[in-house]
Amino acid sequence: MLGRLSLTPGSLFAGQFRVIQPIAAGGMGTVYRVEQVGTGQQRALKVMNGDLVDDPRARERFTREAQLAAMIESEHVAQVLAAGIDPEHDTPWMLLELLRGEDLSRLLERRGRLPPAEARELLKQLGHALSAAHRQGIVHRDLKPENIFVAESRRSDAAFTVKVLDFGIAKWLQENAPSRTTSVMGSPLWMAPEQFDTARLVSPATDIWALGLLTFTMLTGVPYWKAAQGPSITLAALLAEISMGQLVPASQRASEAGRDGLLPPGFDGWFARCVARETHDRFADATQAHAALEAIFQAPVAQPPTLSVPPTMAIPAMPVPAPVGHGSTVAWTPQAAPPPNGTAMMPVMASGVPPWMVNGAPAPLRAQAPSRRSGGTAIALGVGALAFAAVAVAGVAWWTSQCDDGFHDSHGHCCRSDAAWDEGRRACVATPTVGPTTVASTLPTVVPAAPLPPPPPPTPTPALTPIPPPSPVAPPSTDPPSPTPPPRPEAHACLGTWSGRISENTGAYGSLRVTVRQGALQCGEWREVWENSGSTCVYRFVGCRFEDGAVRGTGISTTPRCTARVSASVRCGGGRMAFRESTSNGVVDTATLRRAGD
């Protein structure tokens, strides 16, 4: 059994890579910075650890990482340039693009959290990578900050480029079956509940769980789980919280950690749908999750309501002459602080001037404050102008006994004996006099005018025989003609069932039946019956990409003694289908098929 393979700087590996320095080491392999001898380009070389070389399952995982990463069509997945096995050490390797930057874990450790605009861009690129993987039926299963690399951008319109790393434990959706179990793999802090239960199936929703937790941590700088917020993490407490703990709203958890105001409005609902314990309650895939998150980031931030007060309505707080009556009075505006306890608030007139002031001077008609009744309290409540119509509500008074001496009841208000209640001014107003004459204590009596004579009765109009209306004639339509509906798209040429003969470059031959349906995750299946060996292989057509007259994807088979995974493509036209499948060891099968029944 080989130990961990250690390559020294300057050594040559696999006959074509000169080692410069080690970059990182992990459970599956070690990554080196190398120079490709043939091109002089600097690359990243991942070499499988020697203590895993003899483990068939580990070798399969290492090889699958290269295959799956190459299948995902996204610039935000670390590009696999080549893969192979070093004959000297019998060690698998893969050649990756060399990235300069740091992973998200180190970025958050250095900066604490990301501002919303930066987090939004990072999540946009991460969502692109996950959406491309989910369209291929690939679930990452180990999304965590260490597997999200923030690289220096090579584009002028982007500050950085996100690269998703380590598809080593990624899982094909089509490998799940009710009779199977899936191994527990991942990082507990970011794992979904179904990843701890070997009887449950993973799906794109498994990645959505981790996406919600990652987004919370990016915006707040702390993990969502309380068991992980302390100086040390107890695995038992963490697992208990993930599987049975209360899933409180994200904003509440942020507030508990002292991170108020860092989450955008609407985030709670989005986060709750990401971390629902039942997979069918989460977003179906990364495309849906990112679209909903982007809508939250795009929503305008609600500003606190402000009072719109016209210039003439803004009355600054200032001392005013004390009116006739009890207590002192100050002017109040919506911008000013509430008046002190025990201070009455005079109403503000629609003109924006206190009722006892005209052009900055006392008015000829003195506005008198209503008197307090003995044993009670009279409160005049001033209301700032929210709208002109609201100014009429100027004050409310409560009475519990008769008016004081020297005051009389005027329309339900206690006024001085030489004044009367003016409803228009909402105050007790003294009547003006000419010269030194004392003002009248009562309002002048209004003499009613003589009633007008009743109008003469109307002259009766003779009854007219109604003329029947003419038959209705539909007016000419002025509406624009209805647009012609667009033609329905034609069905893809390959849809349907096809049959014919199949041959292999090894000399084998047999019959083939292919069915193609419209779909992305699984678009059909095919059955191969080999006459020379008598064996039958059944494949599911998955990860489908529909092109003009062609469909490309992958074939997955669980039939014993059949190749588990093949690349496949069909091209259709003129009533015929050209079928081709190939394996990684160079076996190629081809067939020309006709529609079944033709």
Side-chain angles (χ1 to χ4, degrees):
M1 178 112 19
L2 295 174
R4 183 183 292 270
L5 180 62
S6 178
L7 302 179
T8 58
S11 61
L12 194 65
F13 179 79
Q16 54 179 324
F17 306 115
R18 190 169 305 281
V19 178
I20 299 176
Q21 64 183 30
I23 299 177
M28 282 294 295
T30 303
V31 181
Y32 296 88
R33 182 176 181 178
V34 300
E35 178 184 341
Q36 193 170 10
V37 176
T39 63
Q41 292 276 354
Q42 290 192 7
R43 306 292 189 189
L45 179 70
K46 186 172 184 179
V47 181
M48 187 175 186
N49 290 336
D51 54 356
L52 299 176
V53 168
D54 293 335
D55 184 348
R57 295 185 62 186
R59 292 178 73 105
E60 180 186 1
R61 277 184 55 193
F62 192 90
T63 303
R64 180 170 58 178
E65 179 181 357
Q67 294 173 343
L68 297 186
M71 289 178 57
I72 301 173
E73 297 179 351
S74 172
E75 65 175 326
H76 301 296
V77 173
Q79 185 179 4
V80 177
L81 305 174
I85 297 177
D86 174 38
E88 180 180 355
H89 303 92
D90 189 31
T91 302
W93 56 267
M94 68 179 74
L95 189 66
L96 308 169
E97 59 177 324
L98 183 63
L99 303 175
R100 293 175 173 84
E102 60 185 338
D103 62 44
L104 182 59
S105 176
R106 294 183 179 180
L107 179 63
L108 291 176
E109 183 179 353
R110 179 169 56 86
R111 300 178 55 187
R113 63 180 179 85
L114 301 183
E118 194 170 328
R120 178 182 179 182
E121 178 60 28
L122 192 151
L123 290 164
K124 174 183 176 182
Q125 298 183 32
L126 175 60
H128 187 278
L130 291 178
S131 297
H134 291 170
R135 285 195 299 269
Q136 294 288 349
I138 300 172
V139 184
H140 191 285
R141 295 203 300 171
D142 195 22
L143 276 180
K144 57 185 179 181
E146 292 80 1
N147 285 337
I148 300 172
F149 197 88
V150 184
E152 296 178 2
S153 178
R154 299 176 182 175
R155 296 165 43 184
S156 60
D157 59 342
F160 55 83
T161 300
V162 172
K163 296 284 186 177
V164 179
L165 310 177
D166 195 5
F167 278 86
I169 68 170
K171 192 172 186 68
W172 280 86
L173 292 180
Q174 289 73 20
E175 292 178 353
N176 286 310
S179 60
R180 289 184 174 182
T181 60
T182 179
S183 58
V184 176
M185 306 182 78
S187 303
L189 188 60
W190 313 100
M191 286 171 62
E194 61 268 21
Q195 292 180 270
F196 298 103
D197 187 349
T198 58
R200 295 179 65 180
L201 306 180
V202 299
S203 67
T206 302
D207 288 342
I208 300 305
W209 174 281
L211 179 65
L213 296 175
L214 282 168
T215 305
F216 177 89
T217 300
M218 277 187 249
L219 293 172
T220 63
V222 296
Y224 174 78
W225 306 116
K226 296 192 72 173
Q229 293 180 2
S232 61
I233 299 178
T234 303
L235 183 59
L238 177 62
L239 297 183
E241 187 176 3
I242 293 174
S243 58
M244 296 179 295
Q246 183 183 5
L247 297 172
V248 302
S251 59
Q252 177 181 336
R253 183 56 50 86
S255 178
E256 293 170 355
R259 307 302 171 97
D260 285 312
L262 298 180
L263 299 176
F267 185 84
D268 281 356
W270 180 86
F271 180 81
R273 193 169 172 191
C274 287
V275 298
R277 288 196 172 98
E278 296 298 329
T279 55
H280 57 75
D281 292 331
R282 299 178 208 153
F283 293 105
D285 53 31
T287 302
Q288 288 188 12
H290 179 260
L293 181 61
E294 185 65 14
I296 292 175
F297 279 124
Q298 289 179 349
V301 178
Q303 298 294 330
T306 57
L307 295 176
S308 177
V309 182
T312 58
M313 301 294 293
I315 307 299
M318 55 185 176
V320 296
V324 179
H326 299 271
S328 60
T329 305
V330 296
W332 174 83
T333 66
Q335 295 84 359
N341 293 334
T343 302
M345 293 182 293
M346 289 297 293
V348 179
M349 300 298 289
S351 64
V353 183
W356 66 92
M357 299 287 289
V358 174
N359 296 327
L365 303 181
R366 291 179 291 119
Q368 172 199 327
S371 165
R372 295 182 301 170
R373 295 179 180 255
S374 58
T377 303
I379 301 176
L381 176 63
V383 180
L386 296 177
F388 285 117
V391 180
V393 182
V396 178
W398 288 266
W399 289 269
T400 58
S401 63
Q402 298 298 319
C403 297
D404 292 343
D405 294 336
F407 292 82
H408 73 106
D409 190 307
S410 175
H411 301 285
H413 299 271
C414 287
C415 296
R416 212 170 59 182
S417 58
D418 60 346
W421 179 257
D422 189 329
E423 189 64 27
R425 293 179 176 270
R426 302 292 299 170
C428 295
V429 179
T431 306
T433 60
V434 179
T437 308
T438 305
V439 297
S441 60
T442 60
L443 294 177
T445 303
V446 179
V447 179
L452 298 176
T459 304
T461 304
L464 300 178
T465 303
I467 300 176
S471 300
V473 178
S477 176
T478 58
D479 297 334
S482 301
T484 304
R488 300 181 60 183
E490 297 182 2
H492 196 276
C494 292
L495 298 182
T497 302
W498 308 73
S499 60
R501 304 287 293 173
I502 184 173
S503 60
E504 195 171 87
N505 58 357
T506 62
Y509 56 89
S511 61
L512 175 66
R513 186 177 181 88
V514 179
T515 299
V516 178
R517 296 183 295 272
Q518 191 76 41
L521 295 181
Q522 180 170 336
C523 64
E525 59 274 336
W526 71 82
R527 176 186 293 268
E528 305 167 356
V529 180
W530 299 99
E531 297 177 6
N532 52 344
S533 63
S535 60
T536 300
C537 295
V538 178
Y539 285 88
R540 285 170 291 168
F541 203 7
V542 301
C544 306
R545 302 186 301 277
F546 282 81
E547 302 170 0
D548 186 15
V551 183
R552 305 180 189 277
T554 302
I556 302 294
S557 177
T558 58
T559 310
R561 297 189 299 172
C562 296
T563 305
R565 182 180 291 107
V566 297
S567 297
S569 65
V570 294
R571 185 170 296 278
C572 308
R576 298 194 178 190
M577 169 187 284
F579 174 90
R580 175 186 172 88
E581 65 172 333
S582 59
T583 65
S584 58
N585 57 1
V587 178
V588 179
D589 299 337
T590 57
T592 301
L593 311 176
R594 293 180 179 273
R595 290 191 180 275
D598 291 351

